[in-house]
């Protein structure tokens, strides 16, 4: 599946951004979608995931601030990011697991920069 991420940018601390990831395949063949992020010099870490049944999972660092959702009609997963902190600065990558696959597809990444 091909993934196209968008919505990154520069925002001040306390602000909000909305990331979108559009899948080339119908979202009903996908079991899990989500977002990872990688800051300079750091590992690529899980941010949030959502299953085909709507079950969500968040990293502790973003709980209560980020919300992941899935728009089945548009084959899109959304990451709403509120109360952003400088520590959220990273390249954000969209992922998707197709049903039965153990290895996800990755999007191209979108830069999020939060200034203090």
């Amino acid at each position: 599946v091909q993934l196209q991420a968008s919505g990154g940018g520069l925002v001040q601390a306390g602000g909000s951004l909305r990331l979108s990831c559009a899948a080339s395949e119908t979202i009903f063949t996908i079991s899990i979608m989500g977002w990872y992020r990688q800051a300079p010099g750091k590992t690529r870490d899980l941010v949030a995931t959502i299953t085909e049944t709507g079950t969500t999972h968040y990293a502790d660092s973003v709980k209560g601030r980020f919300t992941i959702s899935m728009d089945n009609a548009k084959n899109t997963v959304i990451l709403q990011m509120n109360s952003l902190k400088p520590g959220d600065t990273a390249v954000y990558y969209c992922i998707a697991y197709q049903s039965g696959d153990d290895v996800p597809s990755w999007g191209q990444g979108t830069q999020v920069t939060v200034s203090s």
Side-chain angles (χ1 to χ4, degrees), residues 17-88:
L17 282 174
R18 185 172 182 263
L19 303 183
S20 297
C21 178
S24 60
E25 302 288 333
T26 174
I27 216 159
F28 295 107
T29 69
I30 295 173
S31 58
I32 299 172
M33 293 191 78
W35 294 88
Y36 277 70
R37 67 185 181 186
Q38 187 168 20
K42 295 189 176 181
T43 58
R44 189 172 295 187
D45 297 326
L46 178 67
V47 177
T49 59
I50 184 167
T51 71
E52 59 186 331
T53 58
T55 300
T56 58
H57 171 78
Y58 297 93
D60 288 344
S61 59
V62 307
K63 282 181 182 176
R65 300 187 298 121
F66 291 11
T67 302
I68 190 169
S69 60
M70 198 178 282
D71 184 338
N72 294 343
K74 297 181 179 179
N75 297 345
T76 299
V77 64
I78 305 295
L79 185 68
Q80 178 66 43
M81 305 185 295
N82 299 326
S83 301
L84 283 160
K85 305 174 181 180
D88 296 317

